[in-house]
Amino acid sequence: MKRALVPLMLLLSACDTSDPGEGTVRFTLWGEDFIEQGIPAEEFVDGWSVTFDVFEVSVTAVDADGEALPGTHVVDIAEASGGEGHALGTAVLPADRVPMASWTISSMHAQGTATREGVEKHFDWSFDTPVRYVECDTGTPLASGDVTDVVLTVHADHLFYDDLDSEEPGVAFDLIAAADADDDGEVTMAELEAQSLAGEVRYQVGSRDIDDLHAFIAEQARTVGHINGEGHCEIE
């Protein structure tokens, strides 16, 4: 009798053609409260605060497990969403697995104001080098018939990080404010490029060939993409 159990189990396994079904992934793009409401002074090591008038992101090549969301999505994520993010579209996938997502930020335009003790510094910066985020673990198994939200998240505070490699960088604005050479209240991209990092205790770049503040912030801009809030993605 015991010998018959093995063939029977193999037969049952071979006949197991149960369909896990399908679920829906709903993609949104969100900048969290830091973009919609601003970055408060307590987040900065030097007492500045930042608000954004515009934070326009162009997103392409969104997919989950190879199921692509077509088109280019240009969204101003500074616009209030009530914490819901901005809808991009949906994709239908086989259920009973954790989807892996990927997406590309093709360009980014950040316009806003930094304030401290009555002093204001305005900025209007654009970053046009595409960045691909891959292996984004959505963290939640997709159940048959269910809708799972996948939130492509942008972390604006990374633009103000003061170290390219530290796991706990400071969020700072003093050096950016100092780059306003003509003191007209506008920190331009050209002024950032003219601001040397030589002699700075912070603003470490490792082995990268970066020696000015423009290149430093542009490198930080590559790291803003996350998944579902704090979830991490690999950068291609």
Side-chain angles (χ1 to χ4, degrees):
M1 292 297 294
K2 289 184 179 180
R3 292 179 182 176
L5 287 176
V6 175
L8 178 60
M9 291 175 64
L10 291 174
L11 179 61
L12 291 174
S13 175
C15 294
D16 184 8
T17 58
S18 59
D19 185 351
E22 293 179 325
T24 300
V25 169
R26 180 168 54 200
F27 290 101
T28 58
L29 181 65
W30 188 39
E32 302 183 301
D33 289 345
F34 278 180
I35 293 181
E36 293 191 8
Q37 300 177 22
I39 309 176
E42 55 263 31
E43 296 292 331
F44 283 82
V45 298
D46 47 20
W48 290 87
S49 62
V50 165
T51 56
F52 296 98
D53 300 312
V54 174
F55 207 109
E56 188 175 85
V57 182
S58 177
V59 174
T60 61
V62 179
D63 75 66
D65 287 350
E67 188 67 30
L69 190 66
T72 297
H73 310 270
V74 181
V75 183
D76 181 2
I77 54 176
E79 294 184 358
S81 72
E84 297 296 321
H86 302 268
L88 301 181
T90 60
V92 177
L93 303 174
D96 293 343
R97 61 182 177 180
V98 178
M100 300 295 288
S102 59
W103 56 299
T104 297
I105 293 182
S106 299
S107 64
M108 187 166 57
H109 173 212
Q111 177 183 330
T113 302
T115 306
R116 185 180 67 183
E117 297 176 354
V119 176
E120 291 188 350
K121 296 292 183 180
H122 305 282
F123 56 89
D124 190 345
W125 303 336
S126 293
F127 306 94
D128 298 320
T129 302
V131 183
R132 180 74 175 160
Y133 301 98
V134 299
E135 298 298 321
C136 306
D137 189 343
T138 61
T140 304
L142 185 62
S144 179
D146 281 358
V147 177
T148 295
D149 287 311
V150 172
V151 184
L152 312 180
T153 312
V154 177
H155 287 192
D157 55 333
H158 288 209
L159 297 179
F160 308 107
Y161 277 178
D162 65 359
D163 193 296
L164 288 177
D165 293 314
S166 172
E167 293 185 2
E168 296 183 357
V171 182
F173 199 86
D174 268 346
L175 191 61
I176 298 172
D180 183 15
D182 58 8
D183 200 28
D184 67 349
E186 299 283 340
V187 184
T188 67
M189 299 288 268
E191 287 175 322
L192 293 177
E193 189 171 357
Q195 177 63 57
S196 172
L197 299 181
E200 294 294 329
V201 176
R202 304 197 321 255
Y203 293 89
Q204 297 300 301
V205 301
S207 61
R208 301 171 185 82
D209 185 19
I210 292 174
D211 60 7
D212 67 78
L213 192 52
H214 175 275
F216 184 93
I217 295 176
E219 184 67 16
Q220 293 288 22
R222 289 174 44 80
T223 71
V224 301
H226 286 251
I227 195 80
N228 291 345
E230 298 297 326
H232 287 272
C233 305
E234 298 295 324
I235 300 175
E236 284 190 344

